[in-house]
Amino acid sequence: MSRAPSAADRHLPLACGALGLAVLGHVGVLPTWIGLLFIVALATRLLGVLQPRPILRRTVLAVFALGSGVVVLANFRTLNGLTAGTSLLVAMAALKVVETERPRDYATLAFIVFFLSLASLLRAPSPLRLAHALACTWLGVQLLLETQRPAAASPLPAARQTARLLGLGLPLAVVLFIFVPRLEGRFWAVPSGGSEATSGVAEEMNPGAIAKLALSDEPAFRVRFDGPLPERASRYWRVLALDAFDGQTWRRSALAATLAPAEPADSRVAVRYSVELEPSHQAWLPNLERLVDWSGVRARRDADGTLALQDNEAGQPQKVDSLTSYSARATPPSAVPTGELDATTRRRTLSLPSGSAPRSRALAGEMRAGSATSRDYIARVLGYFRTEPFAYTLEPPPLGPNPVDEFLFTSRAGFCEHYASAFVVLMRAAGIPARVVIGYQGGDLNAYGNFLLVRQSAAHAWAEVWLDGEGWVRFDPTAAIAPERIRAGLDGALPEAEARRYRHHFAWVLESRAALDALKAGWDRLVLGYSSRQQARLLDRLGWIGDPLTGLATLLGAGFALTALTLLTLQLAFRVRPRPDRVQRAWELACRRLARRGLARDPAEGPLDFARRVRTARPGDGAAFDELVRCYVRIRYERAPVAADTEEFIGRVRRFRP
Amino acid sequence: MTEPTPQAALSTAIGVLNKVILGKDREVRLALACLLARGHLLLEDVPGVGKTTLAQALARTLGLRYRRIQFTSDLLPADVIGVSVYDRETARFIFQPGPIFAELVLADEINRATPKAQSALLEAMEERQVTADGETHALPDAFFVVATQNPSHQLGTYALPESELDRFLMRISLGYPPAALERELLAGVDRREMIAGLKPVLSAAGLGTLQDAVRSVYLSDALLDYVQALIAATRADRRYAPGLSPRAGQGVVRAARAWAFLHGRSAVLPEDVQAVFVAVAAHRLQTADGAADPLDVGRRILGAVPTG
């Protein structure tokens, strides 16, 4: 049994193109075997058009379908969730292509295209993906229209009709976007599946944790300042303070997570800024040091100064799963007076696991003995880092069971987390309360959008030390080894060989990246940031008093009615008076000019008759008008007029001044 | 002397005809256009204005075999078509062709005959063949009927039903000549002698070539828009009961092509349509009191529809 090429096969290239484009939105997350299956299926079907081939029996297809389902299940341990579901859908689409035969099958493929493009938007609602979804929709609609089209017809009308349909749909989409009530939180509770990694700083710090982040160009958050931009060296964005150390890993203790005592608000010399935080899948909100207050989100401040997002109902910590904006105020470090460190926190921030880092403790004792004050000691420790041959590198040698000692005395090469960790251990060993702080340092000004973009590569770790009378004071040991890291960012600080491997140095790459990011920031603010609060503000501005839901429903209805009315009017207007083409417009212009001289053309009068009348009434213009009419008649009534005629005619009309 | 081109022969023919029928250039041209469009012509007028003369002159100048059938109330179909007579020698019926077997048939005073005799002629016009005693006989390639009729309100006439009027591509009236030309007519030679002295400038074959050429006259979209608007206007106007039929629309286009060709154009212009529209449309449009008044059709329809 073999299949003869059917008339519906002519849709195949379009269908494969649309499907391929839709699958492109999921490249990188789909398992490789799905991609291979997809390509093989499409190629098989396309080759089948050229050469009749045996049909795959339904039973074979069924086995394939079942097998794909099982493999997807084995891959993801679930069929639910975005990636698993998409994988299954793509596999089934591939098999559907193989058995595609009738126009109905192509219609099914068109709907698969729609679904896949929507799923791609669920991954990340970015402008690029929106454009991709629009392109997919275009091809899908065109495919649906093509299946309704007789075989001989030209494909052009279908394309035109698609454009018209999408054009008609666009205003409705905008009305829906503006007036359909926005839901708080994530509307699509998409189970994100195990494979989606979290981004941003981790909740615990191992050696190497931040070095990994330093390779990521992903934006972490954007900041707009009210007023001047603080200088780079003071742009330390705190995310989390880690106070518990087990000899290997720094963690956050439960104590630190208790609610902060209410402090007297101090708004002297406040820096105001607003942050748009990319989804980090963690609760922490980055802020400048010494946060005064914040607005725009519900959050709690913990004893260690960490700000964590809360959900609206129970006050539980909530992860930042969608773009989140908030504004905050902070004071410069020196401005806040401080009280006493409570005993529990002091104990907590002095403790070291027993038996860990003996050589470091010995070094600390030695240096502490030679220093008069805590500040002297800190200066000596920083001096030690500066004078001893320490190296700043993204590729430190692996460390053994006692990483602090090994780092301080053997390898002497590391990244910020090594220095922060060793520094805090040296502080605690000398009886000075200290903790590790992780967050971001620096950020680049985007000249297009006038905002500060902080990328994941700006992730950083430093230390805070309790000084009596001064409170928690930031010390950054990395600045002692690689001051360029703080002054100019990571690029300047790395050894040249490493920098070349990890960084772009082309100006245009950086430039276009900045422009793209400004675009993305605008999109985030206008589209993704459009929330129920913005809707309420819109209602307010429109003067609506009362229940916002009723208001939105009314506006939605009104918007729909208005859109429908506009479209109807346009349609009627276009039907009643088709838009005359250039030639006709020019002809009417020439006739109007004659009418102004008292020689109006009767609408029912033919051009030659009119020319004759003009010749008799205005012999002076007769010859010029004759030529003009000859040209007009040639274009309008004779076989195969050429483009040059049109230009000549329009030129003659332009010169015709009776 | 070389054979003149058919196109040149056509203008010669117009000149000759205008010498015979004085002051009727437009009607002469319409009649010629009608023949070029392979249509039959209905001349409607009071007796004595030159209907027969025009038909005879046309036949002579175009070089067509000419027969005249005088329609009377006792005319039988066989008088038109012909009869089969028994031939004793061959012991068979032999068909004796009637006067309709000619290239140009003048059906004089067609509305004087009974409907039965009329229908014999009209069938022949439509089918271009006749059937007698179960045998079908084809008419010549070039076959035109020029029928004349007296205005139907005259005594002793059977008005043609509208379905039969539809067989005529055009209906034209001649009317009286202008006074100066009528004087020339009165003073001049007898028309009958004049016709006898006419020399053909074309032949049936030459006419066929011209007719084929007419069919290749170009119709632009803009022009078809205009024709359709005219037809739509007749249908929208409540005074004309059914409006123009699609066949009538085809007739307008055919006649307009011939008119354009006659004026040396390779494409039809709105003026061509306007020139033939009344002749083609008026006898097919019915008003409450019979066929529409030609003046009315010209004013109402042509004056109201923009040429675009």
Side-chain angles (χ1 to χ4, degrees):
Chain A
M1 205 163 83
S2 78
R3 163 169 31 209
S6 86
D9 278 353
R10 67 183 195 279
H11 309 309
L12 206 55
L14 180 59
C16 289
L19 218 50
L21 185 66
V23 169
L24 217 57
H26 301 275
V27 157
V29 286
L30 293 182
T32 320
W33 67 269
I34 298 255
L36 287 178
L37 176 70
F38 184 75
I39 290 168
V40 168
L42 257 61
T44 314
R45 183 68 184 87
L46 281 169
L47 289 177
V49 176
L50 305 177
Q51 201 171 8
R53 65 193 165 74
I55 294 182
L56 279 180
R57 290 190 177 281
R58 299 249 155 198
T59 45
V60 178
L61 277 177
V63 168
F64 262 100
L66 210 63
S68 316
V70 169
V71 179
V72 168
L73 197 59
N75 251 13
F76 297 97
R77 313 250 177 277
T78 174
L79 292 181
N80 200 1
L82 189 51
T83 307
T86 317
S87 302
L88 192 64
L89 188 61
V90 172
M92 295 305 145
L95 296 176
K96 181 76 197 163
V97 168
V98 173
E99 66 160 12
T100 295
E101 214 162 348
R102 289 159 305 164
R104 248 186 72 164
D105 299 330
Y106 287 101
T108 311
L109 289 184
F111 286 111
I112 293 178
V113 168
F114 295 145
F115 204 91
L116 282 176
S117 64
L118 269 183
S120 151
L121 275 178
L122 288 183
R123 292 200 177 280
S126 72
L128 186 68
R129 282 186 190 267
L130 179 70
H132 171 261
L134 279 178
C136 287
T137 310
W138 180 293
L139 291 181
V141 170
Q142 173 122 14
L143 181 60
L144 278 180
L145 286 172
E146 291 266 338
T147 56
Q148 307 298 321
R149 178 171 67 85
S154 125
L156 208 63
R160 212 175 297 145
Q161 206 177 351
T162 310
R164 224 182 49 203
L165 281 175
L166 292 185
L168 289 177
L170 220 53
L172 290 183
V174 171
V175 166
L176 283 171
F177 174 78
I178 296 178
F179 295 123
V180 164
R182 313 296 288 183
L183 296 180
E184 291 293 349
R186 301 242 297 180
F187 176 59
W188 303 94
V190 184
S192 54
S195 62
E196 264 97 347
T198 57
S199 50
V201 294
E203 292 185 30
E204 48 180 47
M205 191 180 80
N206 291 311
I210 292 179
K212 214 180 299 162
L213 270 182
L215 301 181
S216 163
D217 275 336
E218 292 290 312
F221 55 96
R222 300 178 182 81
V223 194
R224 279 164 217 278
F225 283 94
D226 277 6
L229 192 65
E231 62 181 83
R232 185 177 196 104
S234 65
R235 296 199 298 251
Y236 278 85
W237 300 96
R238 274 175 116 253
V239 173
L240 207 53
L242 309 176
D243 54 356
F245 184 52
D246 64 0
Q248 287 274 351
T249 305
W250 286 91
R251 289 197 179 79
R252 189 174 184 229
S253 69
L255 177 71
T258 54
L259 204 59
E263 283 174 34
D266 183 336
S267 54
R268 283 174 302 153
V269 220
V271 185
R272 287 163 188 279
Y273 56 89
S274 51
V275 176
E276 287 156 24
L277 180 61
E278 293 281 333
S280 64
H281 308 294
Q282 297 174 8
W284 325 120
L285 305 177
N287 273 298
L288 286 177
E289 297 165 306
R290 290 168 208 267
L291 180 68
V292 175
D293 54 11
W294 65 94
S295 61
V297 284
R298 211 181 136 138
R300 56 174 266 173
R301 176 154 47 174
D302 288 339
D304 60 358
T306 302
L307 194 65
L309 187 68
Q310 286 181 300
D311 64 9
N312 279 314
E313 292 84 30
Q316 292 298 310
Q318 192 192 1
K319 293 186 172 182
V320 178
D321 286 333
S322 60
L323 190 89
T324 302
S325 352
Y326 55 93
S327 359
R329 293 192 299 166
T331 53
S334 57
V336 183
T338 179
E340 283 292 304
L341 188 64
D342 66 284
T344 339
T345 313
R346 176 178 288 274
R347 202 169 54 243
R348 184 77 251 181
T349 50
L350 279 173
S351 81
L352 285 171
S354 54
S356 72
R359 290 182 68 189
S360 307
R361 287 179 199 226
L363 176 71
E366 201 178 293
M367 286 200 284
R368 185 70 182 94
S371 321
T373 62
S374 296
R375 276 213 175 263
D376 282 350
Y377 172 66
I378 293 168
R380 278 189 75 156
V381 171
L382 291 176
Y384 176 78
F385 281 130
R386 203 174 298 125
T387 47
E388 295 296 317
F390 279 97
Y392 184 70
T393 171
L394 273 172
E395 298 161 335
L399 300 174
N402 207 337
V404 177
D405 275 4
E406 281 177 55
F407 167 67
L408 274 179
F409 301 105
T410 319
S411 72
R412 292 191 166 181
F415 202 54
C416 59
E417 65 252 45
H418 298 88
Y419 292 99
S421 172
F423 183 81
V424 172
V425 167
L426 286 176
M427 288 301 122
R428 290 188 177 185
I432 303 172
R435 62 194 182 193
V436 170
V437 178
I438 53 179
Y440 298 89
Q441 203 283 322
D444 305 307
L445 184 71
N446 186 311
Y448 295 91
N450 193 30
F451 58 84
L452 192 72
L453 171 66
V454 181
R455 295 179 188 281
Q456 296 295 2
S457 54
H460 191 48
W462 60 93
E464 280 180 354
V465 174
W466 179 270
L467 296 175
D468 289 326
E470 292 181 58
W472 289 105
V473 179
R474 178 212 335 132
F475 287 96
D476 189 350
T478 310
I481 295 103
E484 305 81 13
R485 165 70 183 84
I486 308 306
R487 265 208 319 272
L490 189 60
D491 293 7
L494 284 175
E496 204 173 319
E498 277 183 44
R500 212 175 298 129
R501 217 167 321 149
Y502 295 124
R503 301 284 127 202
H504 308 286
H505 278 288
F506 295 113
W508 66 268
V509 174
L510 297 173
E511 193 75 356
S512 54
R513 233 173 35 181
L516 272 181
D517 201 74
L519 181 76
K520 170 98 168 55
W523 164 268
D524 285 349
R525 223 151 36 116
L526 292 175
V527 178
L528 298 188
Y530 185 72
S531 66
S532 52
R533 269 162 40 104
Q534 265 75 8
Q535 274 184 330
R537 207 174 302 156
L538 178 70
L539 281 179
D540 226 36
R541 216 171 291 164
L542 291 174
W544 180 266
I545 304 158
D547 178 31
L549 272 184
T550 323
L552 285 176
T554 313
L555 282 175
L556 190 60
F560 257 85
L562 198 69
T563 314
L565 206 68
T566 314
L567 293 179
L568 202 68
T569 318
L570 283 179
Q571 176 107 16
L572 284 179
F574 276 109
R575 186 178 304 159
V576 169
R577 248 174 70 86
R579 200 177 146 74
D581 54 22
R582 284 175 73 208
V583 171
Q584 201 59 12
R585 279 205 302 275
W587 168 245
E588 278 159 15
L589 177 66
C591 291
R592 268 203 305 281
R593 285 189 181 147
L594 277 168
R596 253 179 260 143
R597 300 273 172 269
L599 205 61
R601 185 177 83 96
D602 181 349
E605 194 172 18
L608 293 187
D609 286 345
F610 186 46
R612 196 170 307 125
R613 211 148 59 81
V614 171
R615 214 153 46 223
T616 337
R618 304 181 65 87
D621 299 318
F625 193 66
D626 261 2
E627 279 301 313
L628 194 150
V629 166
R630 199 165 303 145
C631 225
Y632 174 67
V633 163
R634 194 161 62 231
I635 295 165
R636 203 157 158 74
Y637 295 107
E638 286 183 12
R639 194 192 305 270
V642 285
D645 285 339
T646 307
E647 298 314 318
E648 185 196 338
F649 175 65
I650 287 170
R652 282 187 189 280
V653 169
R654 209 167 284 148
R655 291 190 298 274
F656 180 65
R657 305 275 172 185
Chain B
M1 196 176 131
T2 53
E3 182 82 0
T5 62
Q7 191 81 52
L10 213 50
S11 35
T12 318
I14 292 171
V16 169
L17 288 169
N18 275 333
K19 278 197 193 100
V20 180
I21 316 286
L22 295 176
K24 295 289 165 196
D25 180 55
R26 186 181 165 73
E27 284 73 13
V28 164
R29 282 171 190 267
L30 276 176
L32 258 179
C34 185
L35 297 197
L36 285 175
R38 294 183 194 271
H40 304 292
L41 179 67
L42 180 63
L43 291 169
E44 184 177 275
D45 224 323
V46 291
V49 290
K51 300 191 293 278
T52 314
T53 315
L54 174 60
Q56 285 180 338
L58 271 175
R60 290 290 296 195
T61 352
L62 301 182
L64 302 174
R65 273 190 294 121
Y66 167 78
R67 293 291 286 274
R68 171 178 179 156
I69 310 170
Q70 182 64 48
F71 278 52
T72 56
S73 55
D74 57 356
L75 187 82
L76 295 175
D79 298 334
V80 177
I81 293 167
V83 286
S84 297
V85 289
Y86 185 72
D87 182 27
R88 190 166 299 195
E89 280 175 34
T90 56
R92 272 197 188 153
F93 281 99
I94 291 177
F95 181 68
Q96 292 289 324
I100 200 159
F101 286 85
E103 286 164 340
L104 194 149
V105 176
L106 174 64
D108 219 357
E109 298 190 87
I110 188 172
N111 56 345
R112 288 208 175 280
T114 55
K116 196 172 178 179
Q118 285 175 359
S119 69
L121 173 75
L122 294 163
E123 260 179 62
M125 285 163 59
E126 186 67 17
E127 313 286 330
R128 291 182 183 271
Q129 63 184 25
V130 294
T131 305
D133 303 322
E135 267 191 81
T136 301
H137 306 275
L139 293 168
D141 271 349
F143 170 71
F144 308 107
V145 173
V146 178
T148 71
Q149 76 171 353
N150 297 324
S152 47
H153 48 75
Q154 287 207 339
L155 284 176
T157 56
Y158 299 91
L160 291 173
E162 57 222 59
S163 64
E164 295 185 343
L165 276 174
D166 201 34
R167 308 276 159 84
F168 292 98
L169 179 61
M170 289 187 194
R171 181 191 67 177
I172 55 182
S173 307
L174 289 174
Y176 301 122
L181 295 172
E182 188 164 13
R183 192 183 180 82
E184 194 182 315
L185 181 74
L186 296 174
V189 264
D190 184 36
R191 298 291 127 174
R192 221 167 294 160
E193 285 172 28
M194 208 173 188
I195 287 168
L198 285 182
K199 290 211 172 60
V201 297
L202 260 175
S203 62
L207 189 62
T209 319
L210 290 176
Q211 285 167 335
D212 290 342
V214 162
R215 269 194 251 161
S216 62
V217 173
Y218 180 69
L219 293 169
S220 67
D221 284 341
L223 185 98
L224 288 175
D225 287 344
Y226 177 55
V227 172
Q228 280 198 301
L230 285 175
I231 294 169
T234 66
R235 292 176 189 162
D237 195 325
R238 291 182 173 258
R239 284 193 33 162
Y240 308 121
L244 284 182
S245 66
R247 180 158 64 186
Q250 288 177 316
V252 170
V253 168
R254 265 163 67 205
R257 275 181 152 157
W259 187 265
F261 181 78
L262 207 55
H263 292 78
R265 283 197 277 275
S266 60
V268 182
L269 300 191
E271 280 86 349
D272 301 320
V273 176
Q274 289 173 348
V276 300
F277 187 72
V278 172
V280 176
H283 64 288
R284 302 173 208 249
L285 287 173
Q286 299 289 313
T287 55
D289 49 349
D293 176 11
L295 285 176
D296 186 56
V297 173
R299 202 182 60 242
R300 286 174 76 89
I301 305 295
L302 291 181
V305 177
T307 54

